[in-house]
Amino acid sequence: MLKIIEAKKEDRDTVMNLLEKYLYEFSQWEKNDVNNNGLYGYEYLDCYFEEKNRFPYLIKLDGKHAGFILVSDYPEVPGEKTDFCLSEFFIMNKYRRKGYGKEAVFQVLNMHHGKWQLKRHPHNIGSVHFWNNVIAEYTKGNFRLVEKYPNKEVAYDDGTLADVFFFEN
């Protein structure tokens, strides 16, 4: 059984440990290096436990950690009205392609109603297929996707222009 659990301050280290796995995987596209401690780090993590408009969630499957979702109200694209942004999403490899990721995303989207933005790296082909399918199904095709959003502020660390979904629920 899949459950979405709101992460509390005492879950910070668990979220950070899962983030490190996510950031390691993502480094193949962004080409980021680790710091002097051998970690990627995530500069906004503490904000998710201190600010009211950030929402950290753990994904648990049969009581085991399966991933996380970070939601905020900070837009990926400046100037585009948004209520929520699905900032980060990660599901462990062993749980992929079994419907758990989609189920987790649907649950979190249903917890926050409004205008959404979601950014994806176009070179992460697995992610491209996942988000195409999930957003199309969730919104019943009622979304806008801007591929290679023409704004350097929306680019990834490697300079790749991001694809950005816009939708409302």
Side-chain angles (χ1 to χ4, degrees), residues 113-125:
H113 295 279
K115 293 183 181 189
W116 283 84
Q117 292 183 23
L118 186 149
K119 175 173 127 175
R120 70 172 186 206
H121 198 298
H123 297 155
N124 182 347
I125 300 304

Side-chain angles (χ1 to χ4, degrees), residues 29-126:
W29 299 288
E30 283 204 291
K31 311 297 183 208
N32 292 333
D33 291 310
V34 295
N35 63 24
N36 290 337
N37 294 319
L39 301 171
Y40 290 96
Y42 188 79
E43 69 179 296
Y44 305 109
L45 180 60
D46 289 334
C47 298
Y48 280 90
F49 298 97
E50 296 167 359
E51 297 177 12
K52 68 176 184 154
N53 293 329
R54 294 193 192 231
F55 310 94
Y57 298 103
L58 289 166
I59 303 168
K60 295 192 104 177
L61 192 58
D62 296 327
K64 295 180 171 52
H65 293 294
F68 67 86
I69 300 177
L70 300 180
V71 174
S72 73
D73 68 347
Y74 295 96
E76 293 288 356
V77 178
E80 290 266 2
K81 170 72 175 110
T82 191
D83 298 310
F84 300 103
C85 177
L86 202 150
S87 303
E88 312 293 349
F89 169 77
F90 176 70
I91 190 128
M92 304 276 286
N93 280 331
K94 78 181 260 183
Y95 301 113
R96 293 181 186 172
R97 293 177 181 81
K98 296 178 180 174
Y100 299 126
K102 177 176 79 170
E103 183 181 343
V105 170
F106 279 24
Q107 284 188 35
V108 168
L109 292 175
N110 287 336
M111 296 164 79
H112 303 278
H113 295 279
K115 293 183 181 189
W116 283 84
Q117 292 183 23
L118 186 149
K119 175 173 127 175
R120 70 172 186 206
H121 198 298
H123 297 155
N124 182 347
I125 300 304

Side-chain angles (χ1 to χ4, degrees), residues 19-35:
L19 262 164
E20 282 296 317
K21 291 161 183 54
Y22 164 76
L23 294 169
Y24 167 76
E25 185 176 298
F26 211 78
S27 72
Q28 65 188 299
W29 299 288
E30 283 204 291
K31 311 297 183 208
N32 292 333
D33 291 310
V34 295
N35 63 24

